[in-house]
Amino acid sequence: MKARVKWVEQASFLGETEGSHAVLMDGAPTVGGRNLGPRPMEMVLLGAGGCTSSDVISILKKSRQAVSDCYVELDAERAEADPKVFTKIHMHFVVTGKDIKPEVVERAIKLSAEKYCSASIMLGKTAAITHDFEVIQL
């Protein structure tokens, strides 16, 4: 995997993937940014959320669950001193569908957390990561 991050101006950077996708990251006004895009650490948190959500959806589909919606809300804390790594991350999954089995959702989240999600497993080296979920039946 390769990526490129190019300084644009002030505290703005353009991240480009080898898959030809681009995202603008920007710093807070307090560090010279203009708040035009997510901060780099926000991107890290979003990456973990995207990685685990992808796993959960894949596992639920393979388990023949009729999922119509799924999202994860992430709440993270960072160290106060540099390096300001994540120290706690809580992931709250909300899965919507017809006849969704909570035990299957719980298993999918556990498999992602312990086996498949490279991003959250990597972040787990510095952060205590917890999970919970709710199922909304249609």
Side-chain angles (χ1 to χ4, degrees):
M1 179 182 300
K2 294 184 180 185
R4 178 176 185 242
V5 177
K6 182 178 182 347
W7 177 53
V8 177
E9 64 179 354
Q10 296 169 313
S12 295
F13 296 85
L14 183 65
E16 300 170 304
T17 69
E18 66 183 330
S20 301
H21 299 284
V23 64
L24 180 70
M25 296 175 280
D26 198 12
T30 57
V31 296
R34 294 186 299 160
N35 205 29
L36 297 175
R39 313 288 182 269
M41 287 300 286
E42 290 174 329
M43 294 290 295
V44 170
L45 191 61
L46 286 173
C51 184
T52 192
S53 293
S54 176
D55 292 339
V56 169
I57 285 294
S58 175
I59 294 164
L60 291 175
K61 286 183 175 183
K62 287 177 184 172
S63 300
R64 296 192 172 113
Q65 297 297 291
V67 178
S68 60
D69 192 22
C70 176
Y71 62 90
V72 61
E73 296 171 334
L74 299 108
D75 185 11
E77 294 179 20
R78 293 176 64 188
E80 292 195 22
D82 290 327
K84 295 179 183 171
V85 298
F86 290 114
T87 56
K88 292 182 183 178
I89 301 171
H90 180 71
M91 298 183 179
H92 176 73
F93 292 83
V94 179
V95 178
T96 303
K98 185 172 172 44
D99 300 322
I100 301 294
K101 295 179 183 171
E103 62 274 13
V104 176
V105 174
E106 185 174 29
R107 179 178 163 272
I109 293 168
K110 184 175 180 178
L111 281 170
S112 176
E114 295 177 0
K115 185 174 182 179
Y116 295 115
C117 182
S118 304
S120 62
I121 291 169
M122 182 174 54
L123 288 173
K125 303 294 183 188
T126 63
I129 301 177
T130 56
H131 308 84
D132 65 12
F133 68 94
E134 63 184 283
V135 173
I136 300 173
Q137 301 287 358
L138 295 179

